[in-house]
Amino acid sequence: MKIATYNVNGINGHLSVLLKWLEESAPDIVCLQELKAPQDNFPHEAISSAGYNAVWNGQKQWNGVAILAKGMEIQEVGRILPGDPEDMQSRYLEALVGGIVVACIYLPNGNPAPGPKLDYKMRWMERLSARAKVLLEHKVPVAIAGDFNAIPTELDVYKPEKYKEDALFCIEVREAFRSLVNQGWTDSIRSLYPDETIYTFWDYFRSAYSRNAGMRIDHFLLSPELAGRLQSGGVDKDVRGWEKTSDHAPVWIQIA
């Protein structure tokens, strides 16, 4: 089973890129982030014509997450990350697909930092950690996938010295991410490539992609019940070089 995560940076604006990648890559399960589309403006017909069922949690202009499944039923579990009933941002979607609990997340960016946006991000990470702990306690196959807006280590960013104060790399965020993983999760791409420089995001500015000046912020965290089935994984970096594409590239793993 091939599972992928992809921040599309506007699903309608980059729909042709998404459909082309779906056809070429043929993942079984896909987590999408940053739909930038309200609930009633999700391109359901186009996704269905590509052979995928879908559930989505949209939001006008910003945020938005979706889970796609090729030839499989998607049983939605929830679309609100527990812990803050007043949080209306569409950043979380949890479903049961193919015997796996899939949590698709779009973690807040947090910039400018310090400030209220970083404070919100840290609270969101606390809530995610609490939910992740509950999921682990069920002892079932779980994948938490998406854009974490977190750079785990210096190996995961080009010129890390430039990002010391950035909300993606500041010490509080790195510690929160490390604490989450240390609950018992496997950072799948890093576990497969422990010493390699791997990026999933390249800014549109300053020719970042051509210079490979990127960062790794899109992650798969796997529960022990799923991590033991991990076979391979990678980043479809070439997709970032396509015309009118997202600033992220799709990330995928293969599960036995």
Side-chain angles (χ1 to χ4, degrees):
M1 179 182 289
K2 187 175 187 179
I3 311 175
T5 181
Y6 187 18
N7 179 320
V8 292
N9 191 18
I11 192 168
N12 289 302
H14 294 138
L15 183 58
S16 61
V17 172
L18 173 62
L19 295 175
K20 179 183 177 182
W21 169 73
L22 286 174
E23 182 178 6
E24 293 187 1
S25 182
D28 299 290
I29 300 172
V30 186
C31 293
L32 300 177
Q33 304 87 41
E34 208 170 349
L35 303 180
K36 293 182 177 178
Q39 189 70 11
D40 59 0
N41 201 29
F42 182 86
H44 180 258
E45 290 187 7
I47 297 297
S48 180
S49 296
Y52 287 86
N53 296 318
V55 294
W56 63 95
N57 185 13
Q59 184 175 340
K60 187 177 180 180
Q61 294 184 315
W62 311 107
N63 307 320
V65 287
I67 297 175
L68 316 184
K70 193 175 184 67
M72 290 181 288
E73 180 184 355
I74 308 173
Q75 182 180 343
E76 183 175 324
V77 176
R79 56 182 54 212
I80 297 174
L81 182 63
D84 184 358
E86 296 183 359
D87 185 3
M88 294 293 103
Q89 296 194 28
S90 300
R91 295 181 175 274
Y92 189 82
L93 188 58
E94 187 178 314
L96 181 64
V97 191
I100 298 172
V101 176
V102 178
C104 175
I105 74 163
Y106 177 40
L107 207 146
N109 179 286
N111 281 307
K117 290 188 176 182
L118 179 59
D119 296 340
Y120 170 64
K121 178 175 187 171
M122 298 310 300
R123 292 193 302 271
W124 209 94
M125 295 186 82
E126 289 178 7
R127 292 161 56 201
L128 177 62
S129 182
R131 180 59 184 165
K133 185 177 180 181
V134 171
L135 292 173
L136 280 179
E137 291 172 350
H138 290 312
K139 298 189 182 300
V140 296
V142 183
I144 303 177
D147 180 357
F148 282 69
N149 270 316
I151 304 168
T153 71
E154 291 190 354
L155 182 61
D156 299 304
V157 60
Y158 179 80
K159 294 189 175 180
E161 65 276 6
K162 291 187 175 182
Y163 291 90
K164 296 294 186 182
E165 305 303 320
D166 193 284
L168 277 66
F169 192 58
C170 63
I171 189 64
E172 306 101 293
V173 170
R174 281 187 286 160
E175 287 180 349
F177 184 85
R178 187 180 308 116
S179 177
L180 172 62
V181 173
N182 286 344
Q183 288 181 348
W185 299 92
T186 294
D187 179 353
S188 56
I189 295 299
R190 185 50 70 206
S191 71
L192 290 167
Y193 308 100
D195 302 312
E196 293 188 27
T197 298
I198 296 176
Y199 299 143
T200 66
F201 168 90
W202 299 261
D203 205 310
Y204 287 129
F205 304 106
R206 298 178 295 277
S207 302
Y209 178 68
S210 62
R211 294 187 296 115
N212 198 32
M215 57 183 69
R216 188 174 75 95
I217 57 176
D218 303 270
H219 308 297
F220 277 100
L221 299 188
L222 306 182
S223 69
E225 293 75 17
L226 197 57
R229 294 160 53 187
L230 179 63
Q231 294 180 319
S232 59
V235 180
D236 290 340
K237 181 181 176 182
D238 62 308
V239 177
R240 175 61 180 84
W242 292 357
E243 187 176 356
K244 296 181 180 179
T245 192
S246 171
D247 42 11
H248 293 249
V251 186
W252 59 270
I253 57 173
Q254 190 79 31
I255 297 295

